[in-house]
Amino acid sequence: MAHDDEDSRIQRAKDEFFASPAPERWHDVELMSSWQRSQLAIGTPDMVTDVPHVGEDLLDAHLLEVFRAPLARFSDSLDGTGLAVLLADSSGRILQRWCHDTSAAAHLDRIGTSRGAVLAENAVGTNGVGTVAVTGKSVQIRGAEHFADLYRNAVCTGAPVLHPATGKLLAVVTISCDVRPGTDFLRPLLRSVTTQLEQHVLDVEQPSARHTFNAFLTATRAQSAPVLAFGPEGLLIQNPPAGSLSTQDIGLIRELCDDGVRDGQHSVPLSNGPATISVTNLDPGNRIVVLLPRETPAPRTAPAPERPRRDELAGHSSGWLRVAREVAAHRDAGTPLIVAGEPGSGKTSLALGAPFRPEVHARGGRIVDAAEAHVSGAQAWLQHVAGRLAGAEPLVIRGVGTLEEKVLAGLRSVVESTPASGPVVLTLTGADEAAAEAFALKLGIAHLWVPPLRERPQDISVLWHAFALAAAPGTGLAPSRETLELMRAYHWPGNVRELKTVFTQAVKSRGKGPVEPADLPRALQKAQPLTMIERMELEAIQRALQEAGGNRGKAAEILGISRATVYRKMKAYRLTA
């Protein structure tokens, strides 16, 4: 009802604007300035009956290639929200649209927004693309605020992408959806995205990155296969066919390249089966990867031995990947580290650098359990740890939080005095990061906090897929959209361990095919899925906190909201800094 009243008020203001040569400026001055520019260029709103389009030859392919990969990743995070993402050039011409949902695609089709559409202000009037291109400012145009009645049922939130050095307008990124209440949070979310895109421009324009980009263009012109370009600081450029690769697949390919793989062809275990890639190393840290077509294997008289699948950590959320990289850096450097987190959050897997499988790692002898000190005695246990530290294998000591003060002091002495040949990583179960930090200071060892599963709901489907590949391949056992929404809304007090239990129960009860809400435990069935706006708020706060390095005050500045609001929202969504 409040929305209808606001829409009527705006419509009256617009009617007054066109009826009077000098209307009262009681509404948004910048909006009325846009109406005035639109009127001078077009006439009256009823003159806009459709959206003009231009041919492919007038669209900037270079600009699209630069921004395609980061915007595709951003669009993935909006799956299920009904929101569409648009990229336009500085003239308001649509270079690409991303919409995972049929509702979002239908919304764009209704308003004539497709590749090649011209949404310049002098073509269709006030809107979330053309008005940004004219003013160079972030805007949100709702319903009747649009100049043309064609957009009366749309909300367009647009933001400029400026060159970080020259300040020149490079592109416009817009989120478009049907009119709905509570879309105010889209502006700070989009501002965070465009800030990242501007940093991406700097990455691309570095001399080595330019060399990589030119090699990427050469590779894409030569063939129609998926092509990826990897650069320093996470730079990724991909051509349209590479859009078929999952985020997990791209992460696996990057990891292979980061391991110093040589030029030539290599086999990789992608999510849809083994594949062959061709790797070309350019400057240090810059590589071009081409996914080669699959070949039908020739018949064999005897089956070839199965190649073991490379162990990999499942998860692609930024918080999880950051911790995984830092743990790997400590292992490579051989420096002791405490990996802390809530129960079942994946601490041991991170410490090992591979999924923790008790039946495998118990035989391999890479793990020492702190609980054994209560059985064998402190002195015998510390001697055992010292002997294991002297070996060449990496060592993981689990559950150090259960040790008494005297045993902890002895462990610290053993770690400091034993000339370890391999890295040692300790895991600590705790309720919050502050307690983990205090424990690490007492032991004199650096620590990292593993984000709980509730803070990285985008990893739930990735983890489920990894469980299915390991325990139920070929069954198609996967959560339906409704089930995934419930799982993402659930608090997961048992974290990844609890998710694994839910998966195991689904294997027994469902066996194969889609997992429906009725197949879930009752606690999950009662979870309240986040609304579209709540999900947008959560993702915007997470992005801002990441950009601010966990500083809540700076995150509030990035979002353009008060610090108190950030604190309140973090508490509501159970977020840590």
Side-chain angles (χ1 to χ4, degrees):
M1 184 67 68
H3 165 68
D4 293 339
D5 292 343
E6 174 66 10
D7 201 51
S8 298
R9 185 176 72 89
I10 294 169
Q11 186 60 53
R12 287 197 302 271
K14 190 160 69 170
D15 292 342
E16 179 188 347
F17 175 84
F18 291 114
S20 170
E24 293 183 20
R25 291 184 174 269
W26 56 273
H27 197 65
D28 187 328
V29 173
E30 292 190 359
L31 178 62
M32 298 191 79
S33 297
S34 176
W35 288 347
Q36 188 172 44
R37 291 192 300 269
S38 303
Q39 183 184 41
L40 291 173
I42 301 171
T44 56
D46 57 11
M47 298 293 290
V48 183
T49 57
D50 55 15
V51 178
H53 283 68
V54 297
E56 290 282 334
D57 57 322
L58 293 179
L59 299 180
D60 191 335
H62 175 89
L63 192 64
L64 177 57
E65 294 297 349
V66 169
F67 293 133
R68 184 193 302 274
L71 283 178
R73 288 197 300 271
F74 171 58
S75 174
D76 288 344
S77 70
L78 303 182
D79 188 11
T81 65
L83 300 178
V85 179
L86 305 172
L87 173 67
D89 63 16
S90 59
S91 299
R93 293 175 290 205
I94 301 299
L95 303 179
Q96 186 65 286
R97 75 181 200 181
W98 290 267
C99 44
H100 291 281
D101 309 326
T102 55
S103 60
H107 159 74
L108 292 182
D109 291 341
R110 280 196 300 272
I111 58 178
T113 302
S114 58
R115 179 170 162 80
V118 180
L119 302 189
E121 211 178 51
N122 60 9
V124 295
T126 305
N127 71 92
V129 176
T131 302
V132 176
V134 170
T135 63
K137 299 178 180 179
S138 170
V139 301
Q140 183 173 83
I141 310 297
R142 298 181 52 87
E145 291 179 341
H146 289 90
F147 178 80
D149 291 338
L150 175 68
Y151 300 109
R152 185 176 184 84
N153 295 319
V155 177
C156 298
T157 308
V161 180
L162 306 177
H163 192 286
T166 66
K168 177 184 176 182
L169 177 67
L170 298 177
V172 176
V173 178
T174 301
I175 296 176
S176 185
C177 62
D178 289 330
V179 169
R180 63 187 72 179
T183 53
D184 294 340
F185 222 84
L186 293 178
R187 289 187 74 174
L189 170 67
L190 199 54
R191 189 157 54 242
S192 175
V193 172
T194 54
T195 299
Q196 295 177 42
L197 292 180
E198 289 167 358
Q199 179 59 49
H200 186 70
V201 171
L202 279 183
D203 294 337
V204 171
E205 290 196 346
Q206 292 174 358
S208 60
R210 283 201 302 271
H211 178 40
T212 302
F213 187 68
N214 291 334
F216 166 80
L217 293 178
T218 300
T220 55
R221 295 188 190 105
Q223 56 202 308
S224 58
V227 179
L228 302 167
F230 294 113
E233 304 299 328
L235 175 65
L236 168 65
I237 310 172
Q238 64 187 64
N239 66 344
S244 61
L245 296 172
S246 68
T247 305
Q248 186 178 3
D249 288 338
I250 293 175
L252 177 62
I253 296 172
R254 179 188 283 278
E255 182 182 348
L256 179 68
C257 292
D258 289 345
D259 285 345
V261 68
R262 296 180 179 179
D263 288 359
Q265 296 184 10
H266 305 270
S267 179
V268 292
L270 300 183
S271 56
N272 62 349
T276 302
I277 60 173
S278 173
V279 178
T280 303
N281 289 286
L282 304 171
D283 304 317
N286 293 282
R287 299 172 182 87
I288 301 295
V289 176
V290 179
L291 186 68
L292 301 179
R294 299 177 188 268
E295 297 181 0
T296 303
R300 291 190 257 243
T301 55
E306 183 178 356
R307 181 172 179 173
R309 190 175 186 276
R310 178 177 178 176
D311 273 349
E312 59 184 54
L313 292 170
H316 61 203
S317 62
S318 57
W320 172 264
L321 292 176
R322 176 185 58 80
V323 175
R325 285 194 298 267
E326 294 187 25
V327 173
H330 276 273
R331 277 199 309 269
D332 293 342
T335 53
L337 176 69
I338 294 176
V339 177
E342 295 180 1
S345 56
K347 302 181 293 296
T348 304
S349 294
L350 282 168
L352 290 166
F356 172 50
R357 299 186 178 94
E359 69 282 2
V360 174
H361 293 104
R363 292 196 303 268
R366 291 180 57 186
I367 296 176
V368 171
D369 201 318
E372 296 172 3
H374 303 288
V375 178
S376 60
Q379 185 175 357
W381 183 78
L382 289 172
Q383 288 175 346
H384 176 59
V385 170
R388 294 292 304 282
L389 282 173
E393 285 292 317
L395 181 63
V396 175
I397 304 177
R398 297 183 70 206
V400 294
T402 64
L403 297 175
E404 298 176 355
E405 291 291 334
K406 291 182 179 180
V407 185
L408 275 177
L411 178 61
R412 175 177 180 176
S413 176
V414 166
V415 171
E416 290 177 346
S417 61
T418 304
S421 301
V424 56
V425 182
L426 298 76
T427 70
L428 170 68
T429 299
D432 58 74
E433 187 173 4
E437 183 178 15
F439 184 95
L441 287 172
K442 180 171 59 179
L443 203 57
I445 297 177
H447 85 287
L448 289 171
W449 179 259
V450 181
L453 187 57
R454 65 177 176 274
E455 291 186 13
R456 45 190 182 96
Q458 61 269 50
D459 281 348
I460 291 174
S461 58
V462 180
L463 287 162
W464 186 286
H465 178 66
F467 298 154
L469 282 178
T475 61
L477 190 71
S480 66
R481 180 180 293 276
E482 293 78 9
T483 302
L484 190 57
E485 286 296 313
L486 287 172
M487 294 169 74
R488 287 175 173 170
Y490 184 56
H491 184 56
W492 295 108
N495 288 289
V496 180
R497 185 184 301 148
E498 185 178 4
L499 177 62
K500 181 69 176 291
T501 301
V502 172
F503 168 81
T504 303
Q505 292 176 355
V507 171
K508 295 178 181 178
S509 62
R510 171 62 65 173
K512 61 181 180 179
V515 178
E516 300 298 341
D519 300 317
L520 297 175
R522 291 184 180 179
L524 271 79
Q525 293 182 34
K526 295 178 180 179
Q528 294 295 320
L530 296 178
T531 66
M532 182 273 294
I533 296 303
E534 288 172 336
R535 189 182 295 111
M536 291 302 96
E537 287 182 345
L538 174 60
E539 291 175 355
I541 293 171
Q542 286 177 319
R543 290 174 188 273
L545 284 169
Q546 180 185 354
E547 186 178 340
N551 185 305
R552 298 170 187 178
K554 188 175 179 181
E557 293 178 7
I558 293 171
L559 293 168
I561 58 180
S562 70
R563 185 178 303 182
T565 300
V566 169
Y567 289 164
R568 178 167 50 83
K569 294 291 184 181
M570 287 180 65
K571 183 177 181 181
Y573 294 124
R574 300 185 180 94
L575 287 175
T576 62

